[in-house]
Amino acid sequence: QVQLVESGGGLVQAGDSLRLSCEASGRTFSSYTTGWYTTGWFRQAPGKERAFVAALRFGSGNTYYADSVKGRFTISRDSAKNTVYLQMNSLKPEDTAAYYCAVGRSVFTTTNSVQYDYWGQGTQVTVSS
């Protein structure tokens, strides 16, 4: 069992940066050594479906990004702190959403939210123009 707690959201202006954190408890990231263990960030804006933002495979370290955030957002992990980060730069009003982190044991398609087993409660990011 894994518990995830996000933090770092807030209200910022367009062009600003934020770093979201997702701290895990219950199982350490260092034990995720097989190829399909994956952590991801998703976001959901009001009236819209939850959308993939970024993912990182624990085994290979490979990262994946939605086209809309590529070049602006970076996903990373600190295994010693059991924490995953999402660095968000050059924020735009369309990035406004609740952001959720997730962890999956057998994530074959990183963009598919159904394949993630554990979810945090979300943190709100609001970008004003």
Side-chain angles (χ1 to χ4, degrees):
Q1 194 75 1
V2 177
Q3 294 79 42
L4 303 173
V5 178
E6 302 99 333
S7 61
L11 172 63
V12 296
Q13 293 187 333
D16 286 350
S17 298
L18 276 177
R19 188 177 77 160
L20 305 184
S21 300
C22 175
E23 185 173 1
S25 61
R27 182 170 178 175
T28 61
F29 288 161
S30 60
S31 68
Y32 294 163
T33 57
T34 63
W36 300 116
Y37 274 105
T38 303
T39 183
W41 285 93
F42 289 77
R43 65 187 181 186
Q44 187 166 19
K48 294 187 177 182
E49 294 185 354
R50 189 168 295 188
F52 169 77
V53 175
L56 180 150
R57 294 211 186 275
F58 287 109
S60 64
N62 289 342
T63 57
Y64 307 84
Y65 297 94
D67 288 342
S68 59
V69 306
K70 202 170 293 183
R72 299 188 298 124
F73 290 13
T74 303
I75 186 171
S76 63
R77 64 174 169 176
D78 186 333
S79 295
K81 295 182 178 180
N82 227 34
T83 299
V84 175
Y85 302 99
L86 184 68
Q87 178 66 44
M88 305 186 296
N89 299 328
S90 302
L91 283 162
K92 304 175 181 180
E94 50 264 43
D95 295 319
T96 295
Y99 283 71
Y100 300 87
C101 71
V103 170
R105 294 164 293 182
S106 301
V107 179
F108 303 107
T109 306
T110 58
T111 58
N112 189 345
S113 62
V114 173
Q115 296 186 18
Y116 291 81
D117 303 298
Y118 306 104
W119 291 84
Q121 83 290 349
T123 185
Q124 179 67 34
V125 172
T126 303
V127 185
S128 63
S129 58

